[in-house]
Amino acid sequence: MLGSYFLFSEYKLIEGLLYLIGSFIGYRVMRISREGYRNTRSPTLLRLTISFIALTIGFFLTAFTYIFPVFYNLTFQSDLILNFRFEFFNISIALTSLFFIIAASFELLGYFILALGHGIKSYQKASAVSVAYGFLTTVSVLSILKSISFVFLLYGSFETLLSYLESKKRPILYMFLGFAALSAGEFIRWLALFYSGLSPLMISSILVKLIGFIMLYTPVSSFNTYKGEENNVRL
Amino acid sequence: MSVYRSQVKIVADVLSSINDGSEGQSGLGITRIIQKANLSYGRATKIITRLVDSGLVEQITVDNNQRYILSHKGIEYLRSHSDFADFAESFGMKL
């Protein structure tokens, strides 16, 4: 049953496109932070780079897993390709589910490193929330990974809010709103689990996530890839 | 409460103090750098030696005194540090 919810969603294509936008934004952030790390050797920028590499791969894999079967079905009128099952640790897993698990693992890694960048001060609290959240949702590898990602995302947005309250700078506010909208979208998506087929919750989840990605991109768009001379310093 | 300064921030502070304090081509002495960047003598000399080795700072002699000026590479570094500090700040982080 791993990932069955994702398989039977009527929003496969829309969600796939949404995650494609996410992977594009992730790639942009990754490139800017990589340039920044090359020029300043800042560990903060290295963490941001690794975090967004993982998030880009995670988002792209999710987008691919959503979009590919839609196009495949349109072209070949067949639903065989991603329903291929195989044994993994004696557990039968469909290829689609495996893709989603790998994507969720990358997302988890990305959000974890992003949260690490803020310095995890209340790890015990975070794990308690993740366990509670895990109980509320369908217990599966995918949902556990997603719920831990959700906690890290929530933690990241909370820390960004604290930074905004400290400095009152607008780009930080956009970043907070972006992270908050993404975590809200993820939460609404979990709520949508209780409804089958087309549900207003699902539509709101997609809209909220889209707003989140736009908010995240707003401050990033002002940073062009660094055009100055590359220092490549060794400090 | 004292604010934690990362190694990158200390380097940027040293570079900007040399940049701000240099009068023309005469450069800045170690004592002024220590005062401006708020560092101990031992720490400051270690950092400046590394900055000279990496080509960010140039060492010159004026009236038998060792003085330091920012190289072109150092000015570029300061500029990119300022740009990327803003970028990291938009994530609520500090360089």
Side-chain angles (χ1 to χ4, degrees), chain A residues 29 32-33 36 39-42 44-45 52 114 118 163 169 171-172 175 223 226 228-229 231 233-235, chain B residues 8 11 50-51 54 56 72-73 76-77 79-81 83-84 86-95:
Chain A
V29 177
I32 297 170
S33 20
N39 282 287
T40 62
R41 297 283 163 199
S42 162
T44 307
L45 292 172
F52 276 92
L114 203 63
H118 287 289
S163 300
K169 287 186 177 172
I172 309 176
M175 209 51 94
F223 288 95
Y226 190 64
E229 284 179 33
N231 280 318
V233 286
R234 288 181 183 274
L235 293 172
Chain B
V8 174
V11 165
R50 269 184 22 222
L51 293 179
S54 58
L56 296 174
H72 176 68
K73 201 176 170 184
E76 276 292 319
Y77 179 90
R79 199 164 63 88
S80 58
H81 179 275
D83 288 348
F84 289 112
D86 288 345
F87 176 72
E89 202 181 26
S90 61
F91 285 89
M93 296 174 187
K94 287 188 169 86
L95 283 193

Side-chain angles (χ1 to χ4, degrees), chain A residues 46-59:
Chain A
L46 178 65
R47 275 194 293 269
L48 266 182
T49 309
I50 298 170
S51 157
F52 276 92
I53 287 173
L55 284 175
T56 306
I57 295 171
F59 287 156

